Amino acid sequence: MAKTERKKALRGRAGRMQGGRGSGRASTGQVRLWGHHAVEAALKNPERRHHKLWATREALAELDGELPEDFTIEYAGMPDLDRLVARDAPHQGLVLDCAALDDVFLDQVLKAEPDRPLLVLDQVTDPHNVGAILRSAAAFGAAAIVTQDRHAPPEGGVIGKAASGALEVVPWVRVVNLARALEDMAVAGYWRIGLAGEAEATLAQALPAGPVALVLGAEGPGMRHNVAGHCDALARLPIGDAMESLNVSNAAAIALYAVATR
């Protein structure tokens, strides 16, 4: 839709907030998302199963698209919505309960588009960072992000808000063993580059012409030894001496840009 066109407000069957209060958290098996971009992207995603939307009338009018006629909406005031989310969460008048996205498996991604990079996150547990990385992954055309299931935050509202809609468009592969996943990437023809500040080569020097998987570790400890050992090369970003390192989400964005412009 062109920017000059008038947006259609998402509409559906609406009720009122019962008692003017919400439950405070999503029920078992559901994901609670909030914020304009996160909610709008989830509503537009045909792979999402939606349960209920709480919204102010003003925020609902700003959404783009149409809801099914039987979609459950409850109108609510801002104080009521505050009770549905984490303290001080910027919900922007929209809170959505929906099912988690279906699992995406590594072999599905490896068979898809090898010209698009993979982004492997080793123990990056901050949901704000993971959400920001998803946003950069969408912006620069990454095929997927890959995390170890036990060392990554769950899908949820904080990640969805930070991802600004990218949670709905970037496949997120969760694996049991990250080292084994890197082995599978090598078999599929990917050159695995681990970002490490102590590496001699810069990322530009280490980038191949073919498929590439970028591996980033958590801030502070960096990549684990076993994960670094499963990389074909280690490389650093050429940052100046005034700063020792970058936030992992910033490093991911710069690395993805380097791949996109190689």
Side-chain angles (χ1 to χ4, degrees):
M1 176 180 291
K3 291 184 178 179
T4 55
E5 292 179 9
R6 186 179 181 85
K7 287 186 175 182
K8 289 184 177 179
L10 283 156
R11 298 181 180 88
R13 181 179 298 166
R16 278 211 173 268
M17 196 85 161
Q18 295 183 358
R21 299 182 65 88
S23 64
R25 64 179 61 190
S27 61
T28 303
Q30 294 184 3
V31 171
R32 178 159 289 173
L33 302 175
W34 55 77
H36 178 92
H37 293 296
V39 169
E40 184 174 88
L43 290 171
K44 288 184 173 183
N45 184 0
E47 302 301 320
R48 279 280 189 195
R49 295 187 301 278
H50 308 108
H51 300 308
K52 189 173 187 177
L53 175 66
W54 289 271
T56 65
R57 294 181 184 276
E58 296 79 11
L60 191 66
E62 291 297 317
L63 289 174
D64 177 48
E66 291 285 349
L67 283 174
E69 290 185 1
D70 60 348
F71 195 91
T72 304
I73 302 174
E74 287 197 13
Y75 292 126
M78 296 294 276
D80 297 324
L81 295 175
D82 290 341
R83 300 185 182 99
L84 292 170
V85 300
R87 183 180 295 275
D88 298 325
H91 54 71
Q92 299 174 299
L94 296 164
V95 180
L96 175 69
D97 273 2
C98 53
L101 291 169
D102 291 338
D103 290 336
V104 179
F105 299 99
L106 184 60
D107 58 349
Q108 296 174 290
V109 173
L110 295 179
K111 294 174 183 176
E113 300 177 73
D115 58 321
R116 299 170 62 190
L118 295 174
L119 204 53
V120 183
L121 308 181
D122 181 27
Q123 295 190 316
V124 179
T125 58
D126 187 323
H128 295 92
N129 279 333
V130 175
I133 289 169
L134 280 164
R135 187 173 184 175
S136 295
F140 292 109
I145 68 166
V146 182
T147 65
Q148 189 171 3
D149 197 27
R150 290 186 296 112
H151 299 291
E155 180 183 344
V158 176
I159 286 179
K161 185 68 171 65
S164 193
L167 182 61
E168 309 301 323
V169 296
V170 178
W172 184 350
V173 179
R174 295 174 179 269
V175 299
V176 175
N177 189 306
L178 209 53
R180 188 175 303 131
L182 287 167
E183 292 176 358
D184 292 340
M185 293 175 200
V187 171
Y190 283 81
W191 187 255
R192 304 157 300 177
I193 301 177
L195 292 186
E198 69 275 12
E200 293 186 7
T202 64
L203 179 59
Q205 293 169 335
L207 277 177
V212 62
L214 299 169
V215 187
L216 295 93
E219 292 184 51
M223 287 179 294
R224 289 172 293 171
H225 179 74
N226 188 40
V227 171
H230 281 80
C231 293
D232 299 297
L234 298 180
R236 59 180 172 83
L237 298 177
I239 63 176
D241 295 336
M243 189 60 60
E244 181 181 352
S245 63
L246 292 173
N247 174 280
V248 65
S249 62
N250 292 333
I254 293 169
L256 288 168
Y257 173 80
V259 174
T261 58
R262 59 182 167 173

